[in-house]
Amino acid sequence: QVQLVQSGGGSVQAGDSLTLSCAGSERTFSAYGMGWFRQAPGKDREFVAGIKWTGAREYYADFSKGRFTISRDNDKRLLWMQMANFEPEDTAVYYCARKVRPGSNTNGESEADYVGIYEYGIWGQGTQVTVSS
């Protein structure tokens, strides 16, 4: 069954902006931290950004900082990533993902809890972003 559905990819030029969207299909969406990953041909899937289940904390890969912004609306079960100042190196298939376990206000967390692919159990179908120079 489909649990995360993505939209918003496309072809852009360097310096352009774009917003990716990810829609959750279950009411439990609001209980889980979420992440964005990307994968280019011949390369490993890599962490792009993560967000706490409450939306109160964000994490970014070094290449994402200052250019990409992750956000969520739990009432609407939506996750976004606003992307700006594209570089050709950003060309990849982008995936949204839901963490394996629900979050908790009693448990501490750090970026290390978001960067590994094994931290996530549900993945969107992926969407292509192609950046031309």
Side-chain angles (χ1 to χ4, degrees):
Q1 64 180 34
V2 176
Q3 298 191 51
L4 298 175
V5 179
Q6 300 179 224
S7 61
S11 298
V12 298
Q13 290 187 305
D16 282 355
S17 61
L18 191 69
T19 298
L20 305 182
S21 297
C22 176
S25 62
E26 300 181 351
R27 294 185 179 183
T28 53
F29 174 89
S30 62
Y32 290 83
M34 300 288 293
W36 287 98
F37 287 75
R38 70 185 187 184
Q39 187 168 22
K43 298 182 179 179
D44 294 332
R45 189 169 298 188
E46 63 180 348
F47 172 75
V48 178
I51 188 167
K52 185 180 175 68
W53 66 278
T54 64
R57 183 170 294 178
E58 304 164 20
Y59 306 96
Y60 296 99
D62 286 341
F63 61 78
S64 301
K65 294 177 180 178
R67 299 192 301 133
F68 304 161
T69 302
I70 188 172
S71 60
R72 67 190 299 164
D73 185 326
N74 285 339
D75 288 338
K76 298 180 179 179
R77 283 178 277 168
L78 288 174
L79 175 76
W80 298 280
M81 186 164 67
Q82 297 172 274
M83 311 172 75
N85 299 316
F86 274 112
E87 302 171 353
E89 293 76 14
D90 295 322
T91 296
V93 176
Y94 285 74
Y95 299 89
C96 65
R98 193 191 77 178
K99 289 179 106 295
V100 171
R101 299 181 61 82
S104 172
N105 285 327
T106 61
N107 294 332
E109 68 172 42
S110 67
E111 184 172 338
D113 299 309
Y114 287 81
V115 299
I117 61 173
Y118 290 108
E119 297 287 347
Y120 300 85
I122 304 295
W123 295 82
Q125 81 276 20
T127 186
Q128 177 73 43
V129 174
T130 301
V131 184
S132 60
S133 60

